[in-house]
Amino acid sequence: MKIKILFFMVCTVIDLYAQDNSPDFDKILDYILPVADEEADLDVLNETLISLYDHPIPINSASRSELLTIPLLSEYEVECILSFRAQYGDILSHYELYLIQGLDSSKVDLLIPFIKISGNLIRRDTISMMRNILKTSGKSIMLRYGRVLNRQTGYINPGNILSPTGKQYFSGSPNYFYGRCEIHESNDFDIGITFEKDAGEPFFFDPAFQFYGFDHYAGYFRILNRGIVKEIIIGDFQMHFGEGLIFGRGFLNKGSETVGSVRNRYSGTFPYQGASESRFFRGLSFTLGINNFTLTAFGSRKLQDAAIFADSANSTRRDYFAMGVTETGYHRTPSEINKKQQLAEYASGLITNLSLLSGNLNVGVSFIFNYWKYPILKRIRNYNQYDFSGSINHIGGIYYNLSRGKLNIFGEAAMSTGNRIGFVQGLIANILPDFETTLHIRYYSPGFYTKYGKTFSEYSNSNNEKGIYWGIKIRPIAHLELRAYFDIFRSKWLRYNLTTPSTGNEYLILLRFDPKSSLIFDLTYKVESKYRNNSGMQNALYETLEGIKRNGQLKISFQAGKSLTFQTRILGNAYGFNEITTFGYSFSQDVMFIKSSFQIKTRLAYFNSDEYVNRHYLYEHDVLYSYNMATYNGHGYRAYVLIKYSPIRMLDFWIKTSLFYYLDTENIGNGINMIPGNKKSEIKCQVRIKF
């Protein structure tokens, strides 16, 4: 082993002249989520990977929790890195990573862009901030354009007015624009600006309607590591603390990552530069740190989309309230424009964290206070009587995370306005080198409300649910991996399209076989059981019946040489409800050619689904920083071609064209989004300049 390490020390010199180690986002996504999961938050994954690439993890000094922020690494693989480091000392070269038992070479290839070997510090006493901004090589500008090439109904009326039937039309062009400017200096500072206009949105200046050219702007300025001031962010940011009851928990939920998905691996405050116009804070945050104690505080003011109404029942004064609070970010039609940024939300909060036992135990307290300028009201329905209403919400809680050897125990408890409780408790155990398992318990009472939280759950709104989840990951023999989970859940109160309390369960089994690095087989089987109303009843009473959906997928990936890769997917499902079974299936073939400065990635797919419930989701290769999970519904074909060309190191071009060709319809979509005909084609172009 010492001789091998000495050899790799010599190879360290080669690192200085290595080519650009830009991450392959498509391969990373395919590795993390071999099965498309519509519940995965790809925007958060995107921002997480970008942040890690801009600020790589120092592998020789990183703690267990810091290494776990890299989405590629499992609990077992982190333990392998720590054991190697403890036995042989500092890792001196990227090549040494290939010697770590428990890390396969393909994983190391994907890991390298997100770690750094040396920890050279910037001498801030001799370099001013402005000079550092000018001299840093981490500057880039990216511009993206896209549009649907077919004419949609909403663009037919050039006057942007209501039709005689009251139908609304788009106020802007079908062109989509997105831009992103960034300046990064690793572990020192970040500056970022994003601007965007969705298709159908107007491009003009009118402060009365909150229009300032582009429809959406986001930006931030972050400073790192100034003594006890560990971080300051001015502008837009997101927060991830605890297990997601109060603040977010990352991008994973239940899915093909059956063990690591149950706990939050990302803790801290992160700059936000995404295109989504909700679920982030806008203001100021700072983090102070002394020894093993950190304190994070923040304040935010943000305008939300909502319809504001006057309360006509009060004759002595005019009171207002908000209804129809939306988070789509679309401002295309007169009604959407009238809702734009009408409701001011104020938020402030505090998070403290104490690290003990050499960083193996973290205990924290978090709190957030939300205030809206106008009370938020909803039209009362049976199922939403516990939903939040009012102008004030506060939620506080405690969390912990303990790692001892091969055991990780974690949990969080929180209480929101009205004494509504949320609680999670879990453990992850590496029982044997090739056997990982997890157990997770959750309880969210009806009425528990968390605006910025994102918990491990079956349903998206993190309330009215309790459940138990068990997951395993086993490597019984070389080149074979088994992943599986079973989850059972219950709702004490009604839900949308469900007029009784209900139970449900689901399980997944995934087999991955990689006889060699160039050939991978993934076989997946998933079953979901949920109750819903029987809409076929002819009387006023509702009947609830169990619906069972079975999904299967076979994926084969084959790399023919260094430049050419083939990927084949066969998917099928069956949904049984009220003694009727419907089916869906699809076949897709991807071909990827990557050589030096030129890449081309293509797909041809055929799909056929009886009902919308039989649709399939498939990830598609896309331009940098963009993820597309297409919905294959109905009967037809899907094809796309993505080309990337980098004529010089500092310049990248992308162009993507795609087509849906349907065999079972004369019109695509409905309302103002409807396309006359059975074809929908799109184009997307992007350029990035690095300097």
Side-chain angles (χ1 to χ4, degrees), residues 627-638:
Y627 292 115
N628 181 31
M629 186 165 59
T631 304
Y632 291 22
N633 179 49
H635 184 201
Y637 294 91
R638 171 69 169 174

Side-chain angles (χ1 to χ4, degrees), residues 551-594:
N551 301 268
Q553 173 178 306
L554 172 64
K555 183 175 72 173
I556 304 171
S557 301
F558 174 63
Q559 186 169 348
K562 294 183 178 180
S563 302
L564 190 61
T565 303
F566 298 90
Q567 194 169 87
T568 304
R569 286 183 177 89
I570 304 173
L571 297 92
N573 64 52
Y575 181 72
F577 182 79
N578 194 21
E579 300 182 352
I580 298 174
T581 302
T582 56
F583 300 91
Y585 58 90
S586 67
F587 308 91
S588 68
Q589 179 63 57
D590 293 5
V591 179
M592 292 156 278
F593 178 81
I594 302 174

Side-chain angles (χ1 to χ4, degrees), residues 147-152 155 174 675-676 679-682:
R147 68 169 290 167
V148 175
L149 299 178
N150 310 85
R151 191 73 178 270
Q152 294 172 280
Y155 298 105
I675 297 174
K679 299 176 184 177
K680 180 182 179 181
S681 54
E682 298 178 69

Side-chain angles (χ1 to χ4, degrees), residues 154-198:
Y155 298 105
I156 294 176
N157 186 328
N160 304 322
I161 59 175
L162 294 178
S163 69
T165 60
K167 186 176 182 180
Q168 298 198 20
Y169 292 88
F170 295 132
S171 300
S173 73
N175 300 314
Y176 171 84
F177 293 102
Y178 174 84
R180 185 178 184 126
C181 306
E182 299 173 288
I183 303 175
H184 298 285
E185 184 64 46
S186 184
N187 298 310
D188 188 11
F189 67 87
D190 298 289
I191 302 172
I193 299 174
T194 297
F195 45 92
E196 183 205 41
K197 184 197 88 70
D198 288 307

Side-chain angles (χ1 to χ4, degrees), residues 237-257:
F237 54 91
Q238 290 182 321
M239 311 187 80
H240 302 294
F241 290 97
E243 295 303 318
L245 288 178
I246 302 176
F247 301 99
R249 62 178 300 274
F251 64 93
L252 285 177
N253 201 32
K254 288 187 295 182
S256 53
E257 174 46 61

Side-chain angles (χ1 to χ4, degrees), residues 403-468:
S403 296
R404 297 297 289 177
K406 297 180 179 181
L407 185 66
N408 180 210
I409 306 174
F410 53 91
E412 184 175 15
M415 178 182 293
S416 66
T417 299
N419 298 327
R420 306 297 182 179
I421 300 295
F423 170 81
V424 296
Q425 175 64 56
L427 66 87
I428 297 175
N430 299 320
I431 299 176
L432 297 170
D434 296 318
F435 181 33
E436 301 174 61
T437 187
T438 183
L439 182 67
H440 187 277
I441 300 171
R442 61 190 186 272
Y443 173 78
Y444 317 125
S445 65
F448 179 72
Y449 178 68
T450 170
K451 169 69 186 296
Y452 292 97
K454 183 182 179 182
T455 59
F456 184 86
S457 61
E458 171 63 25
Y459 301 98
S460 59
N461 50 5
S462 301
N463 67 11
N464 187 26
E465 178 181 338
K466 60 180 179 180
I468 300 176

